[in-house]
Amino acid sequence: MKIAIVYYSKSGNTQKVADLVAEGAKKIDKVEVKTMSIEAIDDEFLTEAQAVIFGSPTIAGSFAGQLKQWLDTAKNVGGKLGAVFATANYVGGGAEVAEISMIAEMLVKGMLVYSSGVAEGQPFIHYGAVCIKDGDDGQKERAKVFGERIARKAVELFN
């Protein structure tokens, strides 16, 4: 079971959170996780992955144009389980809007979208994990839990 975590990071914060999400996903047996910036995509791994988690900084209340441009031309994500996370500079900075916008892109690409919502109890993760900058301790733990939940669902669906 392969899970790709694809992100764009402007300041390094989103990359740090991608690593936290990966750490959580690796807690699930038989899961291989690879983080990759959109500037250095491993096409073979991405094609083989059953799940893809996208991450982006929040820019002007939405997700990064660089990731949007990459998604517009991506051809190897359809049919996969998809999830999202976002970073922001402050609470109320638009991270949830960024996540919903990424989810819309995933639906257009034919991906199956999952966040765990309230189905798995606390912590509730409605759209995806959110960290302010690279996250406080609670946000970092939530990012790990998020990765673990997405990996568990990928195994449940595709194994």
Side-chain angles (χ1 to χ4, degrees):
M1 171 70 58
K2 293 184 177 183
I3 298 176
I5 300 175
V6 176
Y7 65 88
Y8 171 73
S9 189
K10 185 175 180 178
S11 66
N13 290 331
T14 306
Q15 180 179 4
K16 290 176 186 174
V17 177
D19 291 339
L20 294 169
V21 173
E23 184 180 331
K26 290 175 183 175
K27 291 180 180 180
I28 303 301
D29 288 338
K30 302 177 186 173
V31 170
E32 181 182 352
V33 182
K34 186 168 191 174
T35 60
M36 56 189 87
S37 167
I38 59 168
E39 289 105 0
I41 294 292
D42 180 338
D43 285 318
E44 182 177 344
F45 190 93
L46 182 60
T47 298
E48 294 172 356
Q50 289 83 8
V52 184
I53 303 170
F54 294 106
S56 177
T58 303
I59 300 174
S62 190
F63 72 106
Q66 293 88 336
L67 183 57
K68 166 88 167 98
Q69 184 177 13
W70 183 86
L71 278 167
D72 284 347
T73 60
K75 295 185 179 9
N76 52 356
V77 296
K80 299 178 188 296
L81 182 66
V84 299
F85 68 92
T87 57
N89 284 328
Y90 51 89
V91 174
E96 287 185 333
V97 175
E99 289 179 333
I100 290 171
S101 298
M102 284 188 280
I103 289 168
E105 288 284 331
M106 291 166 32
L107 290 171
V108 168
K109 290 294 186 181
M111 297 182 77
L112 309 168
V113 177
Y114 185 70
S115 69
S116 80
V118 299
E120 296 192 41
Q122 292 285 350
F124 298 143
I125 302 174
H126 291 134
Y127 303 120
V130 173
C131 288
I132 304 305
K133 303 208 184 280
D134 66 347
D136 62 20
D137 290 342
Q139 293 164 353
K140 288 177 181 179
E141 184 58 31
R142 183 180 296 242
K144 292 177 194 175
V145 167
F146 175 69
E148 183 177 1
R149 288 177 178 178
I150 300 307
R152 186 178 308 113
K153 182 57 73 175
V155 168
E156 177 187 323
L157 292 173
F158 298 109
N159 199 15

